[in-house]
Amino acid sequence: MQKMMKQVQKMQAEMLKLQEELGNRTVESTAGGGAVKAVVNGRQELVSLEIKPEAVDPDDLEMLQDLILTAVNGALNQSREMVAGEMRRFTGGLNIPGLF
């Protein structure tokens, strides 16, 4: 029983280290040929949003809004895929609900 508890504690420590590492990793997605770029970390937090001046047309704000949504959602999806891939590696391919 004591050996199993040590293994669980080791796994918890490794999980915390992985969570911290993923929080420091970023992915990016662009829209409109690079007119809008969104950067998201492994915690699914938007850490940067860049909009090139040529993407701003006061007469067509809807287009800019669509570009922003596309870039942010793309980056969030990439971040989720990154986390899922690391979790598969960590768990040996087992799908353990609630780990991330």
Side-chain angles (χ1 to χ4, degrees):
M1 185 68 159
Q2 189 176 19
K3 183 178 178 181
M4 188 171 84
M5 289 302 293
K6 285 187 183 227
Q7 287 177 322
V8 168
Q9 288 174 339
K10 181 181 175 189
M11 188 174 174
Q12 285 176 329
E14 289 173 1
M15 177 67 78
L16 288 173
K17 181 180 174 186
L18 178 60
Q19 286 176 328
E20 184 177 324
E21 180 184 315
L22 286 170
N24 293 326
R25 283 198 208 167
T26 60
V27 294
E28 68 179 54
S29 179
T30 62
V36 175
K37 179 173 83 169
V39 179
V40 172
N41 67 18
R43 291 187 190 108
Q44 280 77 60
E45 299 169 330
L46 180 65
V47 295
S48 173
L49 181 65
E50 295 177 23
I51 302 170
K52 291 188 176 177
E54 59 269 16
V56 181
D57 179 356
D59 295 326
D60 193 5
L61 288 179
E62 189 174 313
M63 174 61 86
L64 178 58
Q65 292 166 344
D66 289 344
L67 292 175
I68 293 169
L69 286 173
T70 299
V72 170
N73 286 329
L76 287 169
N77 285 333
Q78 288 181 33
S79 177
R80 283 189 285 270
E81 289 172 10
M82 176 182 65
V83 170
E86 288 298 318
M87 289 308 299
R88 280 191 297 276
R89 199 171 60 88
F90 181 78
T91 63
L94 294 175
N95 185 15
I96 303 172
L99 276 184
F100 260 83

